[in-house]
Amino acid sequence: KAKYIKDVEKKYDKFKGIENNLTNDIDKVAQGISNRQQKIRKLQRELELEGGDMLPKTKKQTQQKIAKLMQEVNEMSK
């Protein structure tokens, strides 16, 4: 009986370790998604705030602004 119990405990410990690793991986993915969502919200707010008189003067300035913000979004999602 004692050997059987030790074998069960070893298997439990092994599965517990796997569960902890999966939980950590899920937490990392969730944090990455959260960061990406925050960056996207920031992009949306900045674009909304730039309406009216604050709108970039040229199409090129607008494209540069969007490119910069999207680069930030991509960096945060890594």
Side-chain angles (χ1 to χ4, degrees):
K1 286 184 176 181
K3 183 180 182 324
Y4 175 78
I5 291 172
K6 285 185 181 183
D7 288 343
V8 170
E9 287 174 346
K10 283 181 185 178
K11 287 180 182 179
Y12 174 78
D13 289 342
K14 180 180 176 183
F15 288 122
K16 191 69 174 167
I18 291 171
E19 179 185 3
N20 289 339
N21 289 340
L22 287 174
T23 300
N24 289 338
D25 289 346
I26 289 169
D27 289 344
K28 287 177 187 175
V29 169
Q31 184 62 46
I33 291 169
S34 176
N35 289 344
R36 185 176 178 90
Q37 288 172 335
Q38 289 173 11
K39 284 291 187 176
I40 290 171
R41 278 191 228 109
K42 177 184 174 188
L43 170 64
Q44 289 171 334
R45 282 193 310 269
E46 288 190 25
L47 290 175
E48 288 169 2
L49 290 174
E50 288 186 357
D53 295 338
M54 295 183 69
L55 189 63
K57 302 295 185 230
T58 66
K59 183 177 178 181
K60 185 175 181 178
Q61 286 176 329
T62 304
Q63 290 171 340
Q64 289 171 342
K65 179 70 172 180
I66 292 171
K68 178 185 172 209
L69 293 170
M70 290 307 293
Q71 182 181 5
E72 290 178 15
V73 168
N74 287 335
E75 288 173 6
M76 289 300 295
S77 65
K78 292 181 181 179

